Each structure stands twice: as structure tokens, then as C-alpha cells.
Amino acid sequence: MATTQAMTQDELKQAVAQAAVDYIQPKLVDDIIVGIGTGSTANFFIDLLAAHKGKIQGTVASSEASAERLKGHGIPVYDLNSVDEIAVYVDGADETNERLELIKGGGGALTREKIVAAASKEFVCIVDGSKWVGKLGEFPLPVEVIPMARSYVARELVKLGGNPILREGFTTDNGNIILDVHNLDIAVPCQIEEKINGITGVVCNGLFALKPADVLIIGRESGVETVTSGS
Ligand code: 5RP
């Protein structure tokens, strides 16, 4: 009797990346700019997008790493300041809840990711099922910080109930450091996002709650599901 093998996490990531390519296909008639995220799931998307590179005007990348990968496929990469509109942004996440609020920044690209997401008409988030949570915060919340503010910001994050740990040996594409905040009670994600944004010296935090994803494509053993905000 034939046995069915469970899909690996990479196979699920590839499946959602393919689903994202299928999702944006109808938009490709308009020679659009596509915003590109960062991380292993985004990498699968980049590799699959390569087959359609002739149908898009180009991309805006959320990290140097993604820009390099895109260029390696011969896909044009534009500076955000030189484009008028990004039709759709496709990126992974470290956690998502049912309201499509996210924790991002496991790869340290949270600030550029948030900028490209903000500048895009639609944010399509692609994740494997392990990223789905009832409450955000099991994954330590990444916070990008101006280096000279490290200790001050860390003390302020402790006051919020978190345990900030410096990401050792890591510098962001913007020349800053990352504090990964453990044990934060993220009961109301929008409030925590605003509070952390309000700490002087914080560049950005990895909560995407004030502006969550518009569409979530999630891959589970049972299949790929597309969830839209409000559904
Ligand atoms: C990078 C990110 C990534 O989207 C997040 O870390 C998920 O990564 P992966 O697709 O490798 O699981 O926010 O800053």
C-alpha cells in the first residue's frame, strides 16, 4: 500500500510561493512593479517569479539580499524613490494571527519590509502553517534600534514587560542593531506597536498590526488556503 509522505516546511513554503505567483498573475497584464520581501519563503517566490520576469516592469526589494537574488535572475530592481506605485508586496512572516496581524523581522529586514509594505497597494503574506498562532509573541519581537540608543531602548522595553536580547554580530541594511524582545505580552498588537514606535531611538518594530496583511496565503498539510482581511 502506498504511503503519503508529509510535506516538509520548505515544500509548504514553495507551495505558498507558487500560490502567490498564481494570485498576482491577473495583475501582470499591466506591467506592474512588485514589492519583494525577505527570507526563505520570499526567496521561493523570487525564484518562481523569474519565469514571469518579462511580464513585470520590475521590483522593489526589502533587503540587499533579496535585491541580489532578483538581479541574479535578471529581474530589474528599482529604488523605491524612483517608482510611482507598487501594485503588490509579497513577503513571509514569523507569526500571523487570524486578523492577519504579523510579527516580522526574523531576517532583520523589518524596517525596509514595513516601508515597502506601506508603499504598496496590497500586501500578500505567504507562510507555512507553523506561523499561525492564536496570540502573537511566542516568536521574540525584533526591534531595530539606532546603535547609541541600545541600552536606553532596552531599559524601556523591560518597562513594557519584555526581555530584550541583542542579536549578536548582526547589523541591519540600515546600519543599526536588532533587539529581539522575548516574553512580551502582545494582548493588543496595535497598542504595543505604537508604544514601541514611541521609544526614542527605535527605528521600527516587527509588529505589523496597525497595517496588517491584506491577504494571507497559508500552506498546511491539508492544502493551501487564501485568507483575506475581514473574511
Ligand atoms: C525577514 C522576515 C521574514 O519574512 C520572516 O523572518 C520569515 O522568514 P522565512 O520565510 O525564512 O520563514 O520578516 O525579516
Side-chain angles (χ1 to χ4, degrees), residues 9-55:
Q9 194 176 24
D10 273 355
E11 285 168 339
L12 292 171
K13 288 180 180 190
Q14 185 145 28
V16 293
Q18 181 59 58
V21 171
D22 296 343
Y23 181 86
I24 68 166
Q25 282 269 11
K27 303 176 196 290
L28 300 186
V29 289
D30 290 331
D31 207 23
I32 59 169
I33 300 278
V34 181
I36 305 290
T38 299
S40 55
T41 319
N43 282 345
F44 282 121
F45 176 73
I46 292 170
D47 295 348
L48 291 165
L49 185 67
H52 305 275
K53 64 182 177 189
K55 293 182 235 157

Side-chain angles (χ1 to χ4, degrees), residues 13 38-42 91-94 104-110 113 128 131:
K13 288 180 180 190
T38 299
S40 55
T41 319
D91 196 1
D94 299 299
K104 289 185 48 53
L110 57 151
E113 290 171 343
D128 67 86
K131 310 293 182 66

Side-chain angles (χ1 to χ4, degrees), residues 104 109-115 141-146 153 174 176-179 193 196-197 199 201-208:
K104 289 185 48 53
L110 57 151
T111 301
R112 294 190 186 195
E113 290 171 343
K114 211 178 255 195
I115 293 169
L141 178 67
V143 180
E144 180 164 353
V145 177
I146 301 286
V153 170
N174 312 308
N176 298 314
I177 57 149
I178 298 277
L179 294 174
E193 185 175 354
I196 297 178
N197 283 345
I199 302 172
V202 167
V203 177
C204 185
N205 74 80
L207 272 169
F208 285 57

Side-chain angles (χ1 to χ4, degrees), residues 59-99:
T59 58
V60 170
S62 62
S63 64
E64 301 296 338
S66 290
E68 282 313 304
R69 197 174 186 100
L70 287 159
K71 288 177 195 164
H73 283 297
I75 300 174
V77 181
Y78 295 106
D79 186 293
L80 177 59
N81 294 307
S82 69
V83 306
D84 287 335
E85 181 182 275
I86 300 173
V88 59
Y89 176 58
V90 180
D91 196 1
D94 299 299
E95 282 186 352
T96 176
N97 65 17
E98 62 181 3
R99 289 183 300 279

Side-chain angles (χ1 to χ4, degrees), residues 78-230:
Y78 295 106
D79 186 293
L80 177 59
N81 294 307
S82 69
V83 306
D84 287 335
E85 181 182 275
I86 300 173
V88 59
Y89 176 58
V90 180
D91 196 1
D94 299 299
E95 282 186 352
T96 176
N97 65 17
E98 62 181 3
R99 289 183 300 279
L100 312 196
E101 297 165 327
L102 314 171
I103 286 185
K104 289 185 48 53
L110 57 151
T111 301
R112 294 190 186 195
E113 290 171 343
K114 211 178 255 195
I115 293 169
V116 183
S120 300
K121 279 176 74 180
E122 186 179 25
F123 176 8
V124 177
C125 184
I126 50 176
V127 293
D128 67 86
S130 70
K131 310 293 182 66
W132 181 267
V133 296
K135 183 181 175 191
L136 297 175
E138 184 76 26
F139 190 91
L141 178 67
V143 180
E144 180 164 353
V145 177
I146 301 286
M148 74 167 286
R150 186 191 71 223
S151 301
Y152 166 71
V153 170
R155 286 195 295 275
E156 293 300 305
L157 290 168
V158 169
K159 285 183 197 164
L160 292 180
N163 176 23
I165 307 284
L166 176 67
R167 198 178 292 186
E168 292 286 351
F170 186 85
T171 304
T172 70
D173 284 347
N174 312 308
N176 298 314
I177 57 149
I178 298 277
L179 294 174
D180 290 305
V181 190
H182 297 246
N183 305 327
L184 204 53
D185 181 6
I186 307 180
V188 186
C190 286
Q191 279 179 9
I192 297 286
E193 185 175 354
E194 275 178 336
K195 274 187 185 164
I196 297 178
N197 283 345
I199 302 172
T200 304
V202 167
V203 177
C204 185
N205 74 80
L207 272 169
F208 285 57
L210 295 166
K211 190 178 184 304
D214 299 299
V215 176
L216 178 76
I217 300 177
I218 182 162
R220 298 192 179 93
E221 271 304 312
S222 50
V224 171
E225 190 189 345
T226 301
V227 183
T228 48
S229 57

